[in-house]
Amino acid sequence: MPRELVHVALAAPRPQDLAKKWARLGFALDASGVGVALADGVALDFIGSKDPASRRALVGLSADELVASAAPADPAASSFQLAAARLSVAPRHPNGALGLRAIVALADGPSDHAEYLSALIGQREMVATSAGLEIHLDGGTSLDVLSAPAFAYRFGAAPQTEGFRVAGLVFAVKDTAETEAVLRANGLAPRHQAGRLLAETIDGVAVAFEQA
């Protein structure tokens, strides 16, 4: 069985500043004030890091003893860790977010990471296209690994980076029109592209919404 997504850790010099930016996107913060709990069981954790090199999104996957851990012999390894599942009650988010639909990574050669990701996630089946890779995690979230042109098409622009990096998050919402209204009321200027509502890029991670 494929691993399940547990959390996504997002880093910035001050986690409180990061929390404010995500609250502006219409997410209700959890009791800690530096995180978000979603109805699908996934959590967003805002952590502090003063080292620019280490400020990258970190994906936490369920630690299933039945699935062998992949050896960290791939550049993508620094973007993942194994973590215990969490129990938390998700609040109602003003933007209507229901869960995390896709984690989107940017890579120079998406197919170069296929063997490592397959072993890490415990999922041999994946969709490989000219755009990149799509791998389904247990629980309904997908991991998409895209080339720079494919990422730019889906998110409006590709960040300047080298190697493998988690660069986009796509959330499922009840109604994208309601989500758009919340974003505009909060002073943002979202736009529609490639079937998604694009919000903004926060500390190197592009945020988008899709109709559930």
Side-chain angles (χ1 to χ4, degrees), residues 53-80:
S54 65
R55 290 206 296 268
R56 61 169 60 213
L58 182 64
V59 178
L61 301 173
S62 59
D64 187 346
E65 295 296 335
L66 298 179
V67 181
S69 298
D74 187 285
S78 61
S79 294
F80 298 91

Side-chain angles (χ1 to χ4, degrees), residues 71-145:
D74 187 285
S78 61
S79 294
F80 298 91
Q81 68 177 6
L82 300 185
R86 302 183 186 181
L87 294 176
S88 59
V89 178
R92 177 189 175 277
H93 296 288
N95 61 17
L98 301 173
L100 187 53
R101 175 162 286 179
I103 301 167
V104 185
L106 182 65
D108 297 328
S111 60
D112 295 342
H113 308 283
E115 183 177 355
Y116 168 78
L117 294 173
S118 177
L120 172 68
I121 295 169
Q123 171 65 283
R124 292 185 178 182
E125 295 183 4
M126 63 182 69
V127 178
T129 67
S130 58
L133 304 174
E134 180 180 341
I135 308 172
H136 292 285
L137 304 172
D138 193 24
T141 306
S142 70
L143 170 63
D144 301 339
V145 185

Side-chain angles (χ1 to χ4, degrees), residues 32-55:
S32 72
V34 288
V36 171
L38 299 171
D40 61 357
V42 177
L44 303 180
D45 299 324
F46 307 135
I47 60 177
S49 174
K50 295 183 179 180
D51 180 8
S54 65
R55 290 206 296 268

